[in-house]
Amino acid sequence: EWSRMRRKQSPISIIMVDIDHFKDYNDHYGHQGGDSCLAEVAHAINSVVNRAGDYVARYGGEEFVAVLPESTKEDALILADKMLKAVFDLHIDHEKSKTSEFVTVSVGVSSTTPHIGSDSPEQLIKEADENLYKSKANGRNQCTS
């Protein structure tokens, strides 16, 4: 997708999503509970990504990434807010969370229009990851771009 957006000179955005306090969730509810939580959160995140070409994938233990070709940062922020709400609206109990009584996620967004020789997909991912950790540092259950 990166190469295609560079050829077209179109934007591409990444949304990184991490389940807040997931280790505490997994420790309290067990691995089967954790697996169920992951599946429900994945379904909720995926439910708001509706355009052909956009996709969501698991990215590590309790992280997910949405790749959004031909999406501006503004487009990605709208989806990120929908993801936050979709996960919260699941009302999955999380007795060990320091953020909410329910499972929540923290989100980081990054966007660029790739140019030959100036950007890399790794930089886009790094920026989204940094923004994700800003969301966590600022109290979780929020989005940073």
Side-chain angles (χ1 to χ4, degrees):
E1 288 300 332
W2 179 267
S3 296
R4 192 167 69 85
M5 293 305 100
R6 185 173 56 202
R7 281 192 309 275
K8 291 179 72 173
Q9 284 299 283
S10 293
I12 185 169
S13 296
I14 297 261
I15 301 174
M16 294 197 77
V17 181
D18 187 70
I19 300 174
D20 295 326
H21 310 289
F22 186 73
K23 182 182 181 329
D24 296 331
Y25 186 95
N26 215 31
D27 289 348
H28 182 72
Y29 295 99
H31 292 293
Q32 286 183 326
D35 288 348
S36 176
C37 176
L38 283 169
E40 288 185 64
V41 169
H43 181 68
I45 291 168
N46 200 46
S47 74
V48 302
V49 178
N50 297 316
R51 290 183 332 155
D54 293 350
Y55 62 92
V56 175
R58 190 167 173 192
Y59 190 80
E62 68 273 5
E63 289 187 358
F64 299 90
V65 63
V67 178
L68 311 169
E70 300 190 68
S71 290
T72 64
K73 184 179 280 191
E74 293 76 21
D75 297 332
L77 287 170
I78 290 167
L79 281 180
D81 285 339
K82 288 179 179 180
M83 289 175 184
L84 285 166
K85 183 176 179 351
V87 171
F88 186 82
D89 286 350
L90 293 171
H91 292 122
I92 301 171
D93 289 333
H94 192 339
E95 292 179 26
K96 299 299 180 182
S97 175
K98 299 163 194 75
T99 304
S100 169
E101 64 185 305
F102 302 120
V103 168
T104 59
V105 293
S106 294
V107 181
V109 172
S110 180
S111 184
T112 192
T113 299
H115 300 286
I116 295 173
S118 65
D119 302 18
S120 71
E122 293 80 16
Q123 181 60 34
L124 183 68
I125 293 166
K126 181 178 184 254
E127 183 179 313
D129 194 49
E130 289 170 356
N131 287 333
L132 168 64
Y133 281 91
K134 287 177 188 174
S135 291
K136 288 185 165 296
N138 290 330
R140 302 179 192 246
N141 192 30
Q142 60 187 280
C143 176
T144 303
S145 66

